[in-house]
Amino acid sequence: MRYDLLKILLVDDNHYMRVLLAEILRAIGVHYIYEANDGAEGLQMMRDHAIDVVMTDLSMQPLDGIDFVRLLRNSPDSPNPMAPVIMVTGHSTFARVNEARDAGVSEFLAKPLTARGVIERLHQAIEHPRSFVRTGDYFGPDRRRRNDPNYRGPRRRAADTEKQAG
């Protein structure tokens, strides 16, 4: 992967966390790093720059990471609704991970941060992106990570029907 070509936006109200993430990104060769203090500033930064990947904190004020992702994915004036978003947080409870997933987050990175974790999530978001899905109340990366052979619910997607017929 050509990290030197990536334009990454860091959205976090904690200056020190942005510094830490920026240092990790620079160490792996990222040259274009943009920063925002909250989701509203992040959306404006995305309007001003062609951002490739967003790394956002979950807990921020006044616009938190989940609301930021919802606006990015669903707002009619969104600068890039399909941008990969990596949610970075210390609140990695099952409920918060599901809330972030349901908002349209591409990847989830739990604190404490490591260079390896950052690299793995960037690689996953860029090299192995999940298909985007639009339903009545969701737009974002497919929330299913894998085909669960034990799933007994309805198979509602055309791709599921094709797999069963084939």
Side-chain angles (χ1 to χ4, degrees), residues 48-136:
D48 296 341
H49 305 280
I51 300 297
D52 297 310
V53 178
V54 178
M55 299 182 83
T56 184
D57 187 34
L58 190 145
S59 301
M60 296 179 290
Q61 292 296 327
L63 187 64
D64 74 7
I66 289 176
D67 290 334
F68 165 73
V69 174
R70 284 189 183 119
L71 285 171
L72 180 66
R73 297 286 186 235
N74 300 302
S75 179
D77 66 339
S78 173
N80 186 353
M82 296 182 73
V85 177
I86 300 170
M87 181 70 68
V88 182
T89 185
H91 306 283
S92 55
T93 64
F94 186 72
R96 293 302 268 178
V97 170
N98 281 341
E99 187 179 10
R101 179 203 65 192
D102 291 346
V105 167
S106 307
E107 295 294 329
F108 205 87
L109 181 59
K111 295 176 184 174
L113 298 180
T114 64
R116 169 178 265 160
V118 170
I119 291 167
E120 286 173 356
R121 292 312 179 281
L122 273 175
H123 179 78
Q124 191 68 28
I126 295 167
E127 298 291 331
H128 303 288
R130 290 177 279 143
S131 301
F132 270 61
V133 174
R134 182 176 301 277
T135 66

Side-chain angles (χ1 to χ4, degrees), residues 10-22 35-38 57 59-61 111:
L10 306 177
V11 184
D12 197 318
D13 58 354
N14 183 324
H15 170 75
Y16 298 106
M17 187 54 60
R18 290 194 319 268
V19 168
L20 175 62
L21 269 169
E35 297 184 20
N37 289 309
D38 64 48
D57 187 34
S59 301
M60 296 179 290
Q61 292 296 327
K111 295 176 184 174

Side-chain angles (χ1 to χ4, degrees), residues 6-49:
L6 286 178
K7 294 177 182 151
I8 298 180
L9 172 62
L10 306 177
V11 184
D12 197 318
D13 58 354
N14 183 324
H15 170 75
Y16 298 106
M17 187 54 60
R18 290 194 319 268
V19 168
L20 175 62
L21 269 169
E23 288 303 315
I24 290 171
L25 293 170
R26 281 188 192 94
I28 64 172
V30 176
H31 296 300
Y32 305 103
I33 301 169
Y34 302 88
E35 297 184 20
N37 289 309
D38 64 48
E41 194 177 311
L43 287 169
Q44 187 57 51
M45 190 71 68
M46 291 186 75
R47 287 183 185 97
D48 296 341
H49 305 280

